[in-house]
Amino acid sequence: MNSLGRFTPFAILAVSAMLSACVDQAGAAKAPAAPPPAEVAVLTVAPQRVALSTDLPGRLEAARIAQVRARVPGIVLQRAFHEGSDVKAGDVLFRIDDAPFQATFQSAQAALAKAEANLAQITLKAQRYAALVDTNAISKQEFDDVTAAQKQAAADVATAKAALATARLNLGYATVTAPITGRIGRAQVTEGALVGQNEATPLATIQQLDPIYVNLTQSSSEVLQLRQALAAGQLKSVGRGEAKVRLLMEDGRPYPHPGKLLFSDMTVDESTGGVIVRAVFPNPDRLLMPGLFVRAQLEQAVSENAIVVPQQAVQRGADGASVMVVDPNNNVAVKPVKADRSQGDAWIVSEGLKPGDRIIVEGVQKVKPGATVKAVTWTPGDAGKAAKDGKPVALQVKAQ
């Protein structure tokens, strides 16, 4: 009997089954495994109180400007300040030759003394005549003449006093003082210059720089939309004196000191279609200069239940803005939204989202609508770590 004869039919069937199982196992090992769901960082939408701010262009303006002028004619004898320095109200700036005014003042003093002496003499005479006229020692006409002379002498005294006051003022004007506290610019005259001849000659300019104003321009359409939203109850007005203003310098750097809103003009500029809004800022370091172009972030209203989402969560296309949301079954869907107002690095969504919606902030590029994902909580500044570790972290959305 040959070697094949030793194998029974049952043995042959067992070997065939074993070979088939090995083939099935090898095939199963070669089949690719299904990929795990993609991890995305999500933000759960919750309403919050947000102060709505508007970016507006503007220019700085000194709080007060005083043009120092010569009020009396004369020769400038001295300049008593350093150009570009800070001066206080009442500080001496210029001295004009006061010799003529001193002489006029002394002459007025003498004229007043003479008028007062004459009035005293006439008064005594009138008193004596008053006693004599009752006894008919003098005529009524003589008494009336003395009474009139007394009144004339009193008028002369008043005139002399006025002349003396004028002479004192002119003498004082010869010493030019600072009308306000601020920074003085360059001198517009030098010693020896003749000033005040038939005009008030400009001598220098003082500007008060602390605090300093910023005049902002807001379009009338924005003002109208804001007032309509306030009237409809969609927004609340910021309390008087509570509206904060933050300044961005010409190079984009933020100004360290916050300001406050003073007023909004009631008239629309016909040439620009804008409304002037004025704010005031402290300027202790004199960093802000009049005429400088700036941008300001002005708080004008408050939304009590605003939906705020990070900017990277909002996608914009031909059909408008949209966000990707994760439903309770962890499936991805697209929701169109209306996000027409920015707040820092976030968008304020007015339509399309409701509290409790989970929107995808990180990982949008890895998923498509209908896909199943693994959602982890997103947090600003640590989104990558959260998505990597899969650990929930506290949500902090900054809102001014």
Side-chain angles (χ1 to χ4, degrees), residues 233-283:
Q234 300 173 355
L235 301 174
K236 289 186 177 181
S237 177
V238 179
R240 183 175 181 84
E242 298 179 2
K244 297 180 181 179
V245 188
R246 300 191 181 276
L247 210 60
L248 295 177
M249 303 297 291
E250 202 169 21
D251 57 2
R253 293 182 296 111
Y255 183 63
H257 303 287
K260 64 178 181 180
L261 180 66
L262 289 183
F263 68 89
S264 177
D265 204 346
M266 300 301 296
T267 305
V268 178
D269 191 330
E270 297 180 359
S271 60
T272 63
V275 177
I276 299 298
V277 179
R278 172 170 285 185
V280 62
F281 283 84
N283 190 25

Side-chain angles (χ1 to χ4, degrees), residues 157-238:
V157 169
T159 302
K161 287 182 178 180
L164 179 62
T166 301
R168 182 182 290 109
L169 284 175
N170 290 335
L171 181 60
Y173 292 154
T175 302
V176 181
T177 59
I180 64 172
T181 298
R183 179 161 293 182
I184 192 167
R186 65 182 180 86
Q188 296 178 259
V189 297
T190 61
E191 292 84 351
L194 177 62
V195 298
Q197 287 294 106
N198 302 321
E199 63 178 3
T201 307
L203 303 179
T205 300
I206 302 175
Q207 300 185 79
Q208 182 179 328
L209 303 180
D210 184 23
I212 193 169
Y213 292 149
V214 56
N215 295 324
L216 308 170
T217 303
Q218 186 173 21
S219 67
S220 56
S221 60
E222 291 180 357
V223 175
L224 182 60
Q225 291 175 2
L226 177 63
R227 292 181 177 177
Q228 289 175 343
L230 292 172
Q234 300 173 355
L235 301 174
K236 289 186 177 181
S237 177
V238 179

